[in-house]
Amino acid sequence: AVTWMEPVRTMLRLLAAFSFDLDALQAECLVGQTPARSYGIRQLVAPGAGLYMTLVIYWRKLQNPSTNFIHETVNAVGAAYQAFFVSIVVSILLPFVCYSHPGGIGASMTSQPSVMCFNNGTHVIMLAVGALSLLVSVFPFLALVNYAVWTYKRASADSSKAVRHLSLFRFLFFRFKPEAYYYSLVALTRSLLICLVPVIARDAAAVQLASMVVIFQGFLLIQLYTQPWRSDFANLTDALLACLLVL
């Protein structure tokens, strides 16, 4: 293993923490060191954060009755899920990412090499927890985003509905031009495809690399064509970051 020097070591630890890596947070004494338990606790972070924000907003509603509880909750939790979408999905998909042993005899989890894939009770439990987490955390959020985007034009036809729709889902629309109202869904689709690459193209580094390039380049073309961000600087920055990631 490579021994990183500061400040790279701290930066890598922070990145691991953003993916809800409990080892990076040195929480072994609290949750235990078993892979299944650690993974299970890890999947409670996102729903727990959403519940915490909901309770905080409810408390604010009690203090200030004029607070729109539903709108504020949807925007707060939605913005958090949008910001950490990649981290949430990557964390959930950990049991689905395996590598084959030399000679094709079995496979192990990439993140937990001691756990054998598909023929180990621990791995089966982790797969079940991962599937449940997808149903609880990821799919409802994607469904909400799809609903907000696909009903945007219909809501915009009525001024009263348009105000309510934009207020309820402002975390999706406020950063983009009105004609690019759908771009949050495009960005989430790109993030989801990137997360799925190591799951689908297991043990094929060349295929993974080629898939990543195709995804980044394809969505870069969409971004350059639509220019979705409200400022030219944001459009330029998004394009440059995509190019740098490809390089």
Side-chain angles (χ1 to χ4, degrees):
V2 178
T3 302
W4 297 102
M5 303 297 291
E6 295 292 351
V8 177
R9 183 187 305 169
T10 300
M11 292 174 63
L12 291 175
R13 186 173 296 172
L14 288 173
L15 290 173
F18 278 120
S19 65
F20 313 133
D21 188 348
L22 299 180
D23 292 336
L25 298 175
Q26 297 181 348
E28 298 93 340
C29 296
L30 180 63
V31 303
Q33 295 183 340
T34 62
R37 183 182 301 172
S38 177
Y39 176 75
I41 297 296
R42 194 170 180 173
Q43 302 319 307
L44 295 176
V45 174
L51 177 60
Y52 174 76
M53 286 187 285
T54 301
L55 293 175
V56 169
I57 296 171
Y58 181 72
W59 174 256
R60 191 169 66 180
K61 170 71 173 177
L62 295 177
Q63 303 300 312
N64 182 9
S66 64
T67 300
N68 192 319
F69 174 72
I70 295 178
H71 286 212
E72 293 298 324
T73 301
V74 170
N75 279 284
V77 178
Y81 265 69
Q82 188 178 38
F84 292 98
F85 183 75
V86 171
S87 298
I88 293 170
V89 176
V90 167
S91 175
I92 292 174
L93 292 179
L94 287 177
F96 299 88
V97 182
C98 301
Y99 69 92
S100 299
H101 294 167
I105 304 175
S108 293
M109 284 179 55
T110 303
S111 59
Q112 294 282 352
S114 63
V115 178
M116 299 288 291
C117 290
F118 308 112
N119 62 352
N120 181 285
T122 298
H123 188 249
V124 172
I125 293 173
M126 295 173 74
L127 287 175
V129 173
L132 181 61
S133 297
L134 287 173
L135 292 174
V136 171
S137 294
V138 177
F139 292 162
F141 176 66
L142 291 177
L144 181 69
V145 173
N146 273 276
Y147 169 79
V149 170
W150 288 108
T151 58
Y152 177 87
K153 284 191 174 181
R154 186 172 60 189
S156 299
D158 186 320
S159 59
S160 61
K161 289 183 179 180
V163 172
R164 186 166 60 251
H165 194 78
L166 290 175
S167 174
L168 181 60
F169 300 111
R170 65 180 179 271
F171 75 96
L172 292 174
F173 302 125
F174 80 99
R175 294 174 299 165
F176 304 113
K177 299 175 182 176
E179 61 271 21
Y181 64 91
Y182 53 83
Y183 200 76
S184 287
L185 183 58
V186 174
L188 288 174
T189 302
R190 176 184 59 188
S191 299
L192 182 62
L193 290 175
I194 291 171
C195 294
L196 290 175
V197 166
V199 178
I200 298 173
R202 191 182 77 179
D203 292 333
V207 175
Q208 291 183 17
L209 180 60
S211 300
M212 288 287 191
V213 171
V214 169
I215 292 171
F216 278 117
Q217 292 287 62
F219 282 91
L220 173 61
L221 292 176
I222 295 174
Q223 189 268 328
L224 291 174
Y225 177 76
T226 59
Q227 296 287 296
W229 299 90
R230 289 184 180 271
S231 70
D232 293 335
F233 178 76
N235 284 307
L236 178 61
T237 302
D238 192 2
L240 288 176
L241 288 175
C243 292
L244 289 174
L245 287 171
V246 171
L247 295 177

